[in-house]
Amino acid sequence: MEKLALVVGATGQVGRAAVRALVADGWHVRAAARGLRAGAPWPPDWNVELVPLDRADDAGLAVAVGDGCDVLVDTVAYDARHARQLLRLADRIGSAVVVSTAGVYLDDAGRGFGAEGVRFPVPIAETQPTVAPLDPDAAAGDDTYAAGKAALERELLAAGAVLPTTLLRAGAIHGPHTVHPREWHFVKRALDNRPVRVLAYAGQSRFHPVSTANLAELIRLSAAEPGARVLNAGDPEPPTVREIGAAVHAVLDHGAEDVLIDGPSPAPPVGETPWSTPYPVVLDMSLAERQLGYRPVTSYLDSLPETVRWLVDAAHGRDWRTVFPDLAQNYRTDYFDYLAEDAWLRRRTAG
């Protein structure tokens, strides 16, 4: 019989790629998302069944699962409450694949992402300690996202015998249809015709990216080989931020000079980017290779042109903050404070 995959969050950047990979692998896909009320983003001849769903609606999720599915792919699960939603339906779900985040990791000193002095081992294995799970009674803070994902992971891992779940700890996700595109940092600079790329830490920061195509390949393999496990999700050969900036600008045929700062920004946010970190963040992908036979289907640089073209088209003639509201809310909007950057450049030249 044809196997059924339910993809929750099917119209998001990860969901779209997952649907594509599963259909290509012969699955019948039940695509669930709020955006489906406005129509499906797939060709009509694809083997995709559409189910409008609000992820917070318990009854709606039960309806989407229906009489059962062989695998449930959840691209938008966030915390313990979402894990419990899935577990209540475990008798109708063969296995699950749930997208988590590499943001759950702690360094060997117990420091998380964004903490002063944080320094992860290179590369980071799945056995690395993680943040404490989110206390549902705690006030929201800067670490809420990672703590929520940690709570999600803990609930699902504890119930692995009931619902075998593959948790994918994704790096910096990139690809078309994203709501928080880090690449916009350099795309906007090219569109604004900035003549320089000012980069802290000499442009050597590495923050492991993962293409939606590579993440979808991990989802496809995990669906075919169910298990209770945690796997990293990252592209091969993570580039430095200097390489990313040069590659984005090459796609847009924009010439700019690198201005490299040794160490942190002397006048924040000058020289800072969404990838900037004093020490590399690199994920160990060997476990996925051993357990699933995973091989990446693309690289960061090879997948970049499609992403850049999508960003330019999406923002054409519009305020980028309305096009990418998540980016505007969660990343520094003063990355584009060109007056501050020019003032610093003048001081640097004068000094």
Side-chain angles (χ1 to χ4, degrees):
M1 290 181 61
E2 189 176 46
K3 289 190 174 182
L4 171 63
L6 171 62
V7 178
V8 179
T11 56
Q13 65 171 152
V14 177
R16 287 172 186 245
V19 168
R20 183 183 305 112
L22 290 167
V23 168
D25 207 30
W27 289 80
H28 175 78
V29 174
R30 184 175 294 156
R34 284 181 299 183
L36 290 175
R37 293 188 177 91
W42 306 285
D45 59 338
W46 280 28
N47 197 8
V48 178
E49 174 188 351
L50 310 181
V51 181
L53 173 67
D54 184 329
R55 183 62 181 76
D57 182 358
D58 293 357
L61 182 60
V63 169
V65 172
D67 293 334
C69 59
D70 295 286
V71 66
L72 186 149
V73 177
D74 198 334
T75 69
V76 292
Y78 165 64
D79 57 14
R81 186 177 65 84
H82 288 156
R84 292 165 192 160
Q85 275 184 318
L86 299 181
L87 294 175
R88 285 194 292 270
L89 301 170
D91 61 334
R92 289 187 271 160
I93 301 171
S95 67
V97 184
V98 177
V99 178
S100 186
T101 174
V104 299
Y105 285 122
L106 296 172
D107 72 3
D108 292 337
R111 296 168 296 202
F113 282 86
E116 185 175 354
V118 62
R119 187 169 188 172
F120 294 100
V122 179
I124 304 171
E126 288 86 348
T127 53
Q128 189 69 16
T130 59
V131 302
L134 178 67
D135 179 350
D137 297 324
D142 293 340
D143 60 349
T144 298
Y145 179 74
K149 287 287 194 179
L152 169 77
E153 289 191 1
R154 180 168 294 192
E155 293 272 349
L156 292 173
L157 289 172
V162 176
L163 179 60
T165 301
T166 299
L167 290 154
L168 297 175
R169 288 179 180 158
I173 300 174
H174 62 95
H177 307 289
T178 179
V179 295
H180 45 267
R182 292 170 177 83
E183 287 71 20
W184 180 249
H185 179 85
F186 290 116
V187 171
K188 179 169 169 55
R189 294 180 69 89
L191 297 177
D192 294 338
N193 202 30
R194 292 296 295 172
V196 294
R197 293 184 291 267
V198 184
L199 301 171
Y201 306 111
Q204 294 306 300
S205 295
R206 291 181 190 268
F207 196 102
H208 207 140
V210 59
S211 163
T212 52
N214 286 331
L215 190 49
E217 175 67 1
L218 283 163
I219 290 170
R220 182 188 73 82
L221 292 169
S222 300
E225 296 288 341
R229 58 190 164 221
V230 176
L231 297 174
N232 285 333
D235 290 337
E237 301 177 2
T240 65
V241 67
R242 186 179 188 184
E243 292 168 333
I244 291 171
V248 170
H249 285 172
V251 171
L252 295 172
D253 196 25
H254 174 67
E257 175 189 358
D258 284 328
V259 176
L260 305 180
I261 301 169
D262 290 327
S265 169
V270 174
E272 296 179 343
T273 76
W275 300 269
S276 294
T277 177
Y279 302 109
V281 177
V282 176
L283 301 175
D284 186 346
M285 291 302 300
S286 61
L287 187 60
E289 294 168 1
R290 293 195 304 271
Q291 291 199 359
L292 298 179
Y294 167 71
R295 296 293 182 271
V297 298
T298 190
S299 69
Y300 181 87
L301 297 181
D302 286 343
S303 63
L304 186 63
E306 182 185 11
T307 301
V308 170
R309 288 192 293 268
W310 183 85
L311 289 171
V312 171
D313 290 344
H316 181 69
R318 304 169 63 191
D319 185 332
W320 72 271
R321 288 163 294 193
T322 63
V323 180
F324 311 122
D326 187 78
L327 183 73
Q329 179 179 353
N330 294 294
Y331 291 95
R332 301 185 61 155
T333 57
D334 55 359
Y335 281 144
F336 308 117
D337 187 348
Y338 300 143
L339 292 176
E341 183 175 280
D342 288 341
W344 177 81
L345 289 166
R346 287 193 297 270
R347 292 195 300 271
R348 175 177 177 269
T349 302

